[in-house]
Amino acid sequence: MYRTHTSGELRIAHNGTVVTLAGWVQTVRKFGAITFIDLRDRYGITQLVFAESLNEQLEKQPIGREFVLQATGTVRERTNKNANLATGDIEIAVSAFTILNRSAVPPFTIQDDTDGGDDLRMKYRFLDLRRPEVKRNLSLRYAVNRATRDYLHGQGFMDIETPFLIKSTPEGARDFVVPSRMNAGQFYALPQSPQTFKQLLMVSGYDRYYQIVRCFRDEDLRADRQPEFTQIDCEMSFVDQDDILRMFEGLVKHIFSTVKGVNYDEPVQRMRYDDALWLYGNDKPDIRFAMQLLNLKKPHHVLTDKQDSRGLIDGAGFVVFDNAETVLAIAVSGCADYTRKQLDELTEWVKRPQIGMQGLVYIRCNADGSYKSSVDKFYNEDKLKAIADAAGAKAGDLILILAGKEELTRKATSTLRLEMAERLGLRNPEHFKMLWVIDFPLFEFALEDMDGGGAGRWVARHHPFTSPKPDHIDIMINHGPTVDDPEKYLEHPYAGIKANAYDLVLNGNEIGGGSIRIYQRELQEKMFAALGLDAHEQQEKFGFLLGAFEYGAPPHGGLAFGFDRLCAILGGSESIRDFIAFPKNNAGRDVMLDAPGEIAEKQYRELHIKPA
Ligand code: ASP
């Protein structure tokens, strides 16, 4: 037996017990004739004390950092207790030890505030994984995994594995492909998700399916993406949208309570996509705080309880507002006393290339009821008050206004809203707030070529298997996809078709998304045709699915959660890499393996491909 206990479990109650521990050497300290060693394993750290009688052996067999050590001794109460350590009340008076293995000097210190930079830690990820912080992250990941399985199992879901070597089908992103040795000149693709398999499982009658599964997308790695990532992938039969939303908000609530001890008992709000864009400027709003956008150029066509605010800025002769396509305002709580310097800094902030605005207009809603603005040459106090009232501002608030092209200004105001909330401490990572965004558009129109499929055509906003809202199906049946004038695509009937699709947003992050699916062959063919696939391509790429739809496909729907992201948010981190044992860097490389790498000439020949 290598050990009787772990390095995290001994307490004062073990006083006097003879124990054997095995682990890694965190530190070696000498005080006069006595040697102290902190021994670490997955469970914690325990202090070992080597008496003078062991000095001869210690001299012959010097112990260094990260050596693997086995030590036997008696648990005793420490005179100098360490309140920061779970085992800090005790130490082991060592009577015998064995070096189980030696270690080279590690390239960085194995502790939370390590001296190792990112690249070095990734190169030696097996050492990095010894650090308590990384261990906490992986433990949390495992806890989320278990909570997910427990909940879904309890609801009658079945975990069914689906293949990784599949056929390249257009699902949105670019496929990773794998050359086939046995089928010369042919290629498998790695799945972007098990989407079509889970739908086929519904046809087969496995009405509640799930999988915690790896997905592969060969995309340029924008911030914090991985080429292989994990989804909680789910599908159900005989359900409508409401059934699905309830089932899976239940899953996240279960994860909150088991993993975080958070009792999330409030109902999860549902918001239409149009409203999200209108009120928050994006489709994954952080609703832990209000600070809604006020549109000073267009009436709110979506919500009825909002007034038409156009008159508030019109006709004052302020050309910036008069000429802008969009003017958006937010009221920032309690910031009326921002100094000139702070306002200048904010103005520079919105002018940065990432934000791209020309300037920033402010209105101070002073505590004494007066108003002061950077544009009070054009707007008297009554007008400023009217804008402030429409924006929902109170005395003491600061109104910030951006003007410009519609989409740019919407994004900029949304980013500014998040920035101000951050500065005001309104984005506490331990405060969780979920939101369903529903009623997404079914199609997007690609004015430019987005995916190599050509410009001037409709693309699926979610994926090609998503069903239109029931009362929008007729629009698809009765109209072809051809757009005569791409500049006027918004006038085409397809632009107004809403999807039976939903996203789950947590604290401003999209953590999951899915849809009610198409399950009739005719509608699926119509959908493929709308996306530009002719009958031949449909048969070639999706013949298996269209065929299956002829054999009794039940109504069904589902969704998938980004498992890595969910873990990162629960762990209070911005980065999914921190929650993946062996992640890739931003160039898609595994720096530890040095992958991707070359292959031998022989392998090229076997695979019937030629070196580039
Ligand atoms: N397969 C979809 C995705 O990966 C999720 C779903 O619709 O279930 O985004």
Side-chain angles (χ1 to χ4, degrees):
M1 186 167 63
Y2 274 105
R3 58 182 177 187
T4 57
H5 295 80
T6 71
S7 290
E9 71 176 302
L10 295 170
R11 302 285 183 274
I12 197 75
H14 295 93
N15 199 6
T17 318
V18 176
V19 298
T20 301
L21 302 183
W24 288 262
V25 172
Q26 174 85 22
T27 51
V28 184
R29 299 182 306 272
K30 263 192 171 333
F31 281 103
I34 314 274
T35 301
F36 290 87
I37 285 184
D38 281 346
L39 194 70
R40 166 178 28 82
D41 65 11
R42 185 183 138 196
Y43 308 92
I45 288 184
T46 301
Q47 175 164 292
L48 310 179
V49 189
F50 292 70
E52 250 183 292
S53 55
L54 292 167
N55 278 355
E56 203 178 313
Q57 190 186 348
L58 280 172
E59 256 161 51
K60 273 198 230 135
Q61 303 169 355
I63 298 172
R65 272 162 54 201
E66 301 308 315
F67 276 40
V68 188
L69 189 72
Q70 183 186 44
T72 298
T74 309
V75 180
R76 73 179 183 209
E77 185 169 1
R78 275 205 218 184
T79 41
N80 209 347
K81 296 205 168 67
N82 181 349
N84 297 323
L85 215 58
T87 61
D89 285 352
I90 57 99
E91 62 193 6
I92 313 295
V94 175
S95 51
F97 72 90
T98 310
I99 294 174
L100 297 176
N101 211 345
R102 299 162 55 80
S103 167
V105 176
F108 50 85
T109 53
I110 313 288
Q111 56 198 37
D112 278 350
D113 51 346
T114 177
D115 54 1
D118 220 41
D119 286 347
L120 196 62
R121 286 192 293 108
M122 288 305 140
K123 181 154 191 248
Y124 294 91
R125 181 65 165 170
F126 51 93
L127 293 179
D128 194 38
L129 288 168
R130 289 182 189 167
R131 294 194 305 124
E133 186 189 4
V134 190
K135 271 190 287 198
R136 275 193 297 274
N137 291 348
L138 290 190
S139 304
L140 181 127
R141 183 183 176 103
Y142 181 52
V144 180
N145 185 314
R146 271 176 46 213
T148 302
R149 292 185 185 283
D150 285 349
Y151 177 85
L152 293 176
H153 177 74
Q155 298 289 340
F157 282 77
M158 212 166 132
D159 177 346
I160 303 175
E161 286 155 279
T162 51
F164 277 176
L165 293 176
I166 65 165
K167 183 180 162 120
S168 186
T169 51
E171 206 189 297
R174 195 180 293 112
D175 283 330
F176 277 102
V177 293
V178 181
S180 167
R181 180 183 58 78
M182 290 192 288
N183 304 274
Q186 297 195 315
F187 295 80
Y188 300 101
L190 302 180
Q192 294 180 28
S193 83
Q195 183 63 35
T196 49
F197 290 101
K198 64 176 173 177
Q199 292 192 241
L200 292 173
L201 287 169
M202 294 305 111
V203 180
S204 309
Y206 296 88
D207 61 349
R208 290 185 172 200
Y209 143 94
Y210 87 102
Q211 213 183 158
I212 299 182
V213 64
R214 200 64 58 81
C215 302
F216 307 86
R217 295 184 191 172
D218 188 5
E219 294 174 303
D220 292 335
L221 299 178
R222 284 180 282 131
D224 206 27
R225 294 272 183 106
Q226 290 278 310
E228 52 176 311
F229 59 95
T230 304
Q231 282 189 348
I232 307 171
D233 190 50
C234 308
E235 197 77 5
M236 302 172 79
S237 294
F238 307 116
V239 284
D240 58 22
Q241 174 169 300
D242 190 56
D243 297 322
I244 294 197
L245 302 196
R246 281 177 198 285
M247 175 63 74
F248 292 102
E249 65 194 42
L251 167 63
V252 181
K253 286 180 179 184
H254 178 76
I255 294 172
F256 279 138
S257 78
T258 35
V259 177
K260 300 293 291 184
V262 169
N263 180 19
Y264 195 112
D265 53 9
E266 57 186 290
V268 179
Q269 198 188 324
R270 298 176 189 182
M271 188 183 294
R272 287 174 299 187
Y273 168 84
D274 286 343
D275 291 341
L277 278 199
W278 191 273
L279 295 172
Y280 298 95
N282 71 48
D283 62 2
K284 45 181 168 83
D286 186 342
I287 55 160
R288 283 174 293 181
F289 53 94
M291 219 194 283
Q292 292 180 348
L293 276 51
L294 172 70
N295 194 321
L296 291 161
K297 274 280 173 166
K298 279 191 191 162
H300 195 312
H301 58 284
V302 188
L303 290 180
T304 46
D305 63 343
K306 283 265 169 176
Q307 69 195 78
D308 182 349
S309 305
R310 283 175 297 181
L312 299 176
I313 53 167
D314 283 357
F318 182 44
V319 286
V320 174
F321 283 179
D322 291 345
N323 294 345
E325 197 179 5
T326 298
V327 179
L328 294 171
I330 50 172
V332 187
S333 209
C335 289
D337 56 359
Y338 254 41
T339 60
R340 182 77 249 170
K341 204 169 148 220
Q342 283 173 301
L343 287 165
D344 287 347
E345 182 268 327
L346 261 188
T347 308
E348 286 314 309
W349 191 90
V350 300
K351 284 183 172 174
R352 292 177 321 152
Q354 304 96 297
I355 309 283
M357 299 309 294
Q358 302 288 327
L360 177 70
V361 169
Y362 67 83
I363 304 173
R364 293 181 206 272
C365 309
N366 294 322
D368 63 5
S370 65
Y371 295 86
K372 187 92 195 84
S373 167
S374 47
V375 288
D376 44 28
K377 243 198 323 193
F378 302 98
Y379 301 100
N380 61 28
E381 283 218 37
D382 286 344
K383 290 215 157 162
L384 296 177
K385 177 177 183 331
I387 297 172
D389 288 346
K394 311 175 301 306
D397 291 356
L398 176 69
I399 297 192
L400 300 174
I401 309 177
L402 295 174
K405 288 289 238 187
E406 176 146 344
E407 200 173 320
L408 185 77
T409 308
R410 185 157 29 77
K411 281 195 184 144
T413 315
S414 159
T415 313
L416 179 63
R417 172 181 176 271
L418 292 177
E419 171 70 17
M420 296 314 291
E422 194 73 57
R423 293 184 186 195
L424 290 173
L426 302 175
R427 305 195 74 197
N428 173 4
E430 290 297 318
H431 173 198
F432 298 107
K433 190 109 179 162
M434 284 192 269
L435 167 74
W436 286 109
V437 178
I438 57 172
D439 294 3
F440 282 87
L442 186 66
F443 296 111
E444 262 168 345
F445 192 75
L447 276 170
E448 289 156 31
D449 186 2
M450 284 160 39
D451 55 7
R457 63 192 181 93
W458 298 106
V459 291
R461 187 154 201 300
H462 188 48
H463 53 48
F465 317 107
T466 295
S467 164
K469 291 251 147 218
D471 45 359
H472 289 183
I473 291 178
D474 276 352
I475 308 179
M476 262 184 83
I477 301 289
N478 299 331
H479 294 87
T482 309
V483 176
D484 297 326
D485 179 358
E487 292 302 320
K488 293 196 181 144
Y489 74 90
L490 278 174
E491 290 167 16
H492 190 281
Y494 278 20
I497 300 181
K498 298 285 187 222
N500 229 335
Y502 31 79
D503 276 358
L504 186 57
V505 175
L506 175 60
N507 294 358
N509 302 279
E510 181 206 322
I511 57 162
S515 58
I516 297 295
R517 323 297 185 190
I518 297 171
Y519 65 100
Q520 289 116 333
R521 179 168 184 139
E522 305 71 52
L523 187 58
Q524 188 64 71
E525 284 175 344
K526 189 83 189 167
M527 181 70 179
F528 286 144
L531 301 174
L533 295 180
D534 63 29
H536 173 74
E537 287 167 313
Q538 292 185 22
Q539 194 50 39
E540 188 200 32
K541 293 193 190 324
F542 294 108
F544 62 98
L545 188 70
L546 293 170
F549 281 179
E550 286 182 26
Y551 291 91
H556 61 283
L559 85 181
F561 290 93
F563 184 65
D564 310 295
R565 169 82 46 216
L566 179 59
C567 294
I569 297 169
L570 294 173
S573 166
E574 298 275 301
S575 161
I576 65 171
R577 285 208 314 175
D578 295 346
F579 293 79
I580 297 174
F582 297 103
K584 303 205 170 18
N585 73 9
N586 287 342
R589 296 199 70 83
D590 183 321
V591 291
M592 183 181 71
L593 302 177
D594 197 19
E598 315 264 299
I599 56 170
E601 280 222 25
K602 175 171 170 282
Q603 288 173 292
Y604 279 107
R605 276 198 306 278
E606 278 175 355
L607 296 170
H608 321 282
I609 52 176
K610 293 202 179 76

